[in-house]
């Protein structure tokens, strides 16, 4: 299959525990399924984990404790439990999918989400392409987005093909590369991403994707952030990436960037709370480590955080402007072909 390069950046959305909350729970006890709900939990996350543990116990003849331990080990080692089962126990992934993902009583749990649909509808499609990116098989992915009532909101999907061994999945580099190719992303710099998985977000950020780690209110925050951005709910994407939404600055309105320096006195316009971006990568302010080596600027977004510097063209520490081009410690901005957050074209 031939994939066409996109003329827009791509925003990748994870599905499970992301498009619906991890805490989504079963409102009533079911009588239409053979699943022992009481033994595996009442929310989707716990139910899926319980079904996987049960699969390990039944097919590998393990006690419950050993099944859970091996499940967790394979998940940590391979990113997916089924990968370990396929490699070490010759389990057919598609059969596993039927007994686990496809066996979840999602029709009784997931319902259309008008708020989520409004959020997705408010994203400006002239600025960014919406694309699904999941470690699930296609049948489960399609089922979830249909139940949420958002199947028409995305232009495509990259999923784990359980029909191919070895299975390629997040957080491995090959999976991110596969997503870029299938979605037509021109480069890693043109990729946005939201996921609930720490490892998936960490590796996406390392690759150069602009990443938001979804950590629900009920979850403990990681001691070290997985990515530049961390949000508690998807609605926070509106203020995390405001320029991607309708009614915000258009591509032609956003100030151009020279190595992350704002031109025309508007540093940090495309950064959250004034955080600067270097060609849209990681939101750090250091330019080839100039003024950043000692951690003064750009380290962990320290420079420009909370809009302290560069907002509304305020001059700080000798910051000056020359014919609308910012001057930084004697470094004159020069018109070039750099992109800010992957949205601005060549100038």
């Amino acid at each position: 299959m031939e994939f066409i390069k996109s003329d827009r950046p791509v925003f990748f959305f994870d599905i499970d525990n992301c498009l619906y909350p991890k805490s989504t729970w079963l409102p009533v006890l079911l009588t239409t399924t053979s699943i022992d709900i009481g033994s595996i939990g009442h929310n989707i996350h716990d139910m899926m984990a319980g079904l996987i543990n049960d699969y390990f116990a039944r097919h590998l003849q393990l006690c419950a404790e050993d099944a859970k331990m091996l499940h967790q080990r394979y998940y940590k080692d391979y990113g997916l439990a089924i990968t370990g089962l396929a490699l070490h126990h010759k389990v057919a992934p598609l059969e596993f999918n039927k007994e686990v993902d496809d066996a979840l009583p999602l029709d009784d749990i997931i319902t259309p989400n008008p708020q989520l649909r409004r959020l997705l509808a408010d994203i400006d499609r002239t600025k960014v392409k919406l694309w699904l990116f999941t470690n699930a098989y296609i049948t489960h992915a399609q089922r979830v987005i249909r139940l949420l009532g958002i199947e028409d909101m995305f232009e495509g999907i990259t999923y784990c093909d359980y029909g191919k061994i070895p299975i390629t999945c997040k957080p491995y580099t090959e999976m991110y590369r596969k997503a870029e190719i299938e979605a037509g992303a021109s480069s890693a710099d043109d990729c946005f991403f939201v996921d609930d998985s720490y490892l998936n977000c960490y590796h996406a950020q390392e690759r150069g994707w602009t990443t938001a780690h979804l950590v629900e209110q009920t979850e403990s925050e990681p001691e070290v952030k997985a990515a530049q951005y961390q949000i508690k709910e998807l609605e926070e994407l509106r203020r995390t990436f405001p320029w991607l939404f309708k009614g915000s600055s258009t591509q032609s309105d956003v100030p151009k960037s020279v190595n992350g320096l704002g031109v025309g006195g508007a540093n940090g316009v495309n950064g959250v709370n004034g955080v600067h971006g270097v060609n849209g990568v990681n939101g750090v302010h250091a330019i080839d480590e100039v003024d950043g080596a000692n951690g003064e600027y750009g380290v962990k977004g320290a420079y420009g955080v909370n809009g302290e510097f560069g907002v509304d063209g305020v001059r700080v520490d000798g910051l000056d402007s020359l014919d609308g081009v910012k001057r930084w410690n004697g470094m004159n901005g020069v018109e070039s072909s750099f992109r800010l957050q992957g949205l601005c074209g060549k100038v």
Side-chain angles (χ1 to χ4, degrees), residues 116-186:
L116 173 61
R117 187 174 178 84
R118 281 194 300 273
L119 173 72
L120 297 172
D122 287 345
I123 297 175
D124 192 337
R125 307 309 174 81
T126 67
K127 297 177 182 178
V128 68
K129 173 191 287 189
L130 300 189
W131 198 270
L132 294 163
F133 186 27
T134 178
N135 272 355
Y137 187 55
I138 186 63
T139 54
H140 175 78
Q142 291 175 334
R143 187 178 172 208
V144 170
I145 62 172
R146 174 181 58 80
L147 291 171
L148 286 169
I150 56 171
E151 65 266 44
D152 60 328
M153 303 302 291
F154 295 89
E155 297 185 41
I157 180 171
T158 295
Y159 62 93
C160 281
D161 188 350
Y162 286 9
K164 294 181 179 179
I165 303 294
I167 297 171
T168 301
C169 66
K170 297 177 284 185
Y172 293 101
T173 300
E174 293 79 5
M175 189 63 168
Y176 296 102
R177 186 181 299 119
K178 177 185 177 185
E180 290 169 3
I181 293 171
E182 292 182 355
S186 59

Side-chain angles (χ1 to χ4, degrees), residues 26 28-30 33-43 46-47 50:
L26 189 64
V28 294
L29 290 178
L30 301 178
T33 179
S34 59
I35 298 174
D36 183 0
I37 300 298
S39 69
I40 63 175
H42 291 271
N43 64 55
D46 291 346
M47 290 174 68

